[in-house]
């Protein structure tokens, strides 16, 4: 009998950055990773129990929150009542130029001799002092006549493109993984994709260049979702480990996500709800507002705090949430998990 | 000599919802309304003094904040240091079906006889109970063979489309105003656009249907921008009109937008900064966070409060902002204006 592995649903397609995040957390020898068409499909798979875990993008260091994910947490139709965040992972957006290498570079100076690949971007009126590319190609690029990528990627790789691939035709496609797929299918070998390193592996493409993005700091945070179950004993929901002073020593190691709404007719309710964490020394690390979907200009607020909710109902987070229940119209705990961000 | 009217720059193209917002606030007999290609161009025109005022979308009741506008207020390169919000306006997103009417409806029942225009949407697996359209066509639609609109509009007019235009070819275009322009150019008269009522006027098209959106509550809020000048005496910045108790009686009539950043190494600074408004009974009405663009996972926070900053430096908002200066790393007043929202 074939052993059934637990299913991990992730936002596809294969070779997407979310796929990379899923691989970062789940070993393929123990889990079956299954791409989903939308973030909603990932929530659906976890809520229905079809998937053991789900992986979705939550926030990008440059572009901010992923509103599609926040809106599924708003969950107006109450379709995902049991979805909890149980872990996070950070994936650097490291764009690569993928294609078929014509020949390895033996004489690096030959790249710089070509007028279209000078290694310096041409100053223009809108960018009088163009940034220098952070990397050089790993192979000659003269054979590349057309580029595929997601529209966002062109803007993230400006210096490299204007230095080494100036004037080369660009075609927008729906995802960076789709770009790699198209290049893999083109046997002429004259096209290249801006895509992820995992796409190189999946589509058997060569690295023509690595790390071609302008900013080295572009990182996306992903959430691992699970279904809440009264019978499960998740690691983030341990009993309270307090020292004699009542302080949770592990507080800084964990994060908690909470959503809440306030009564529009109660001026001050938002400020009061945001203030409940302070007396317990819980550091508020992030805040977001999304339309509640009930009436216009009514919001659901999301706060992320350091610390975790405890199973035994003791601890600072539990106490703050009890206070939130007095100031907010409604609130929901959306999970506690171990922090993976190292500043 | 021709009288030069002050220029009002708005996010174009012509006949966009932002154009409608601009017309709502500025009379064309007194102002020259000039479309801009991007929100950034509107900021640029106001900062440089080319335009007297700018009009940009800020928030939609269904889709939330317009992050492009928020990010220009983040203003990392300090290119728009003098931009202030001086007014707001709300425009309902009322989609119309525009084209050339073949014949007026004399017998309304004929619409319902057509199998493709039954007035009821067909149940499907994903939508077993489709919503009824909120309106009926104003003319027969049998001659319509192709539809143009912005991708978002299809999703906002589901019930009408599946009831009266099922199976008709759809083509995505960059804006609802572009859609109307294309239909106006097509002299066959067999195409129609989902667009605004102002687009009908500008492109001389017939209304085939009005108010075809699923939700009657879809509204966008726009900001009117001006350049701060020490010499100007803007209406929102009047001297303090306090009664003897020191309370600003007009407080609820005004709104103020403020941005601030906090020190990442100072736990509690965000909560403390959000708390400065409460002692002055300033109602916090909205909150947003955007990446600061300085280091990853560092944010600029935006809060909107009821009340206004006074020129004489007295009043509740002025006092709260002085306190914010003690808790936040940096802060900026982005304007005070009269509230136009009637709940």
């Amino acid at each position: 009998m074939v052993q059934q592995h637990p299913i991990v649903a992730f936002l596809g397609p294969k070779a997407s950055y979310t796929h990379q995040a899923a691989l970062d957390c789940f070993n393929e020898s123990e889990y079956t990773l299954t791409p989903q068409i939308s973030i909603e499909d990932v929530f659906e798979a976890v809520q229905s129990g079809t998937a053991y875990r789900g992986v979705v993008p939550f926030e990008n260091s440059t572009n901010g929150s992923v509103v599609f994910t926040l809106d599924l947490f708003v969950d107006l139709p109450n379709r995902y009542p049991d979805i909890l965040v149980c872990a996070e992972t950070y994936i650097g957006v490291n764009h690569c130029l993928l294609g078929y290498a014509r020949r390895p570079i033996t004489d690096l100076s030959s790249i710089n001799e070509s007028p279209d690949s000078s290694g310096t971007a041409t100053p223009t009126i809108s960018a009088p002092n163009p940034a220098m590319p952070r990397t050089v190609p790993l192979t000659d690029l003269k054979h590349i006549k057309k580029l595929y990528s997601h529209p966002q990627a062109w803007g993230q790789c400006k210096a490299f493109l204007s230095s080494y691939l100036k004037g080369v035709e660009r075609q927008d496609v729906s995802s960076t993984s789709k770009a790699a797929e198209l290049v893999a299918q083109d046997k002429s070998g004259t096209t290249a994709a801006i895509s992820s390193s995992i796409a190189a592996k999946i589509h058997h493409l060569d690295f023509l260049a690595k790390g071609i993005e302008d900013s080295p700091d572009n990182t996306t945070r992903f959430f691992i979702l699970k279904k809440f179950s009264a019978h499960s004993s998740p690691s983030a929901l341990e009993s309270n480990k307090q020292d004699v002073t009542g302080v949770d020593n592990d507080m800084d190691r964990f994060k908690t996500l909470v959503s809440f709404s306030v009564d529009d007719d109660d001026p001050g309710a938002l400020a009061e709800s945001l203030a409940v964490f302070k007396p317990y020394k819980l550091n508020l690390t992030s805040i977001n507002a999304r339309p509640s979907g009930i009436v216009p200009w009514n919001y659901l607020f999301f706060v992320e705090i350091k610390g975790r909710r405890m199973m035994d109902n003791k601890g600072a987070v539990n106490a703050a949430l009890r206070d939130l229940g007095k100031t907010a119209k409604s609130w929901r705990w959306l999970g506690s998990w171990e922090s993976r961000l190292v500043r």
Side-chain angles (χ1 to χ4, degrees), chain A:
Chain A
M1 205 178 108
V2 180
Q3 168 89 40
Q4 288 278 332
H5 291 312
I7 289 172
V8 174
F10 66 90
L11 175 65
K14 278 188 179 184
S16 65
Y17 285 100
T18 313
H19 191 181
Q20 208 164 318
L23 287 167
D24 193 50
C25 299
F26 299 96
N27 195 317
E28 279 192 293
S29 64
E30 293 167 53
Y31 298 92
T32 303
L33 274 57
T34 314
Q36 307 292 316
I37 288 168
S38 68
I39 297 174
E40 190 164 4
D41 292 336
V42 177
F43 273 68
E44 189 70 52
V46 175
Q47 177 66 43
S48 68
T50 314
Y52 165 73
R53 292 288 187 268
V55 186
V56 295
F58 183 68
E59 189 180 16
N60 176 272
S61 61
T62 306
N63 299 323
S65 299
V66 178
V67 294
F68 303 103
T69 301
L70 278 175
D71 285 348
L72 290 165
F73 281 119
V74 170
D75 190 26
L76 178 61
N78 202 28
R79 281 196 292 175
Y80 313 115
D82 305 317
I83 296 280
L84 286 182
V85 182
C86 63
E88 68 177 10
T89 189
Y90 290 80
I91 299 288
V93 177
N94 294 118
H95 288 310
C96 303
L97 187 73
L98 308 180
Y100 295 105
R102 186 64 35 114
R103 58 177 174 82
I105 292 181
T106 47
D107 176 12
L108 272 167
S109 67
S110 72
I111 296 174
N112 294 331
E113 280 163 19
S114 157
D116 285 332
S117 55
S118 62
T120 54
T122 310
T124 62
I125 290 172
S126 64
N129 300 304
M132 286 290 291
R134 298 172 45 245
T135 187
V136 296
L138 300 168
T139 74
D140 185 90
L141 300 179
K142 285 205 192 71
H143 62 295
I144 301 302
K145 305 298 177 203
K146 188 173 181 178
L147 299 173
Y148 292 96
S149 201
H150 186 274
Q152 277 205 336
W154 312 123
Q156 292 169 355
C157 305
K158 277 183 200 161
F160 184 88
L161 291 173
S162 60
S163 297
Y164 298 109
L165 291 159
K166 195 163 44 179
V168 174
E169 184 192 350
R170 297 175 186 182
Q171 187 167 325
D172 290 351
V173 291
S174 57
S175 67
T176 57
S177 13
K178 182 75 186 169
E181 190 187 324
L182 289 169
V183 168
Q185 287 165 359
D186 171 29
K187 295 303 171 196
S188 80
T190 61
T191 55
I194 299 180
S195 193
S196 64
S197 58
I198 185 184
K201 195 177 154 198
I202 285 178
H203 296 293
H204 308 289
L205 290 168
D206 298 329
F207 287 101
L208 309 183
K210 285 184 180 180
I212 64 171
E213 67 279 358
D214 296 332
S215 162
D217 288 332
N218 193 0
T219 303
T220 301
R221 176 155 77 127
F222 297 85
F223 276 164
I224 316 302
L225 308 178
K226 68 166 185 184
K227 187 177 182 178
F228 178 77
S229 153
H231 305 291
S232 67
S233 174
S235 62
L237 265 184
E238 286 167 17
S239 280
N240 207 351
K241 286 183 196 157
Q242 293 183 335
D243 67 15
V244 283
T245 64
V247 174
D248 178 4
N249 289 321
D250 283 341
M251 203 155 73
D252 262 3
R253 274 184 49 218
F254 292 90
K255 289 180 192 158
T256 291
L257 185 67
V258 175
S259 69
F260 66 89
S261 65
V262 296
D263 195 332
D264 284 337
D265 298 328
D266 180 5
L270 174 55
E272 278 167 31
S273 298
L274 291 167
V276 299
F277 305 102
K278 196 172 168 336
Y280 303 100
K281 296 190 167 49
L282 291 166
N283 190 4
L284 208 61
T285 53
S286 160
I287 188 152
N288 274 289
R290 291 296 301 156
S292 69
I294 299 168
V295 290
W297 318 116
N298 177 269
Y299 303 90
L300 197 69
F301 300 97
F302 291 89
V303 293
E304 197 176 66
I305 50 176
K306 290 268 184 80
R308 58 177 165 164
R309 194 179 190 189
M310 299 291 185
M311 280 196 95
D312 58 9
N313 217 18
K314 289 177 187 163
V317 171
N318 302 58
L321 291 179
R322 277 193 297 274
D323 290 353
L324 182 62
K326 293 167 201 159
T327 61
K329 197 164 107 186
S330 67
W331 67 273
R332 183 176 157 197
W333 173 66
L334 292 167
S336 298
W337 64 93
E338 197 161 351
S339 177
R340 291 277 290 266
L341 179 63
V342 181
R343 278 201 203 265

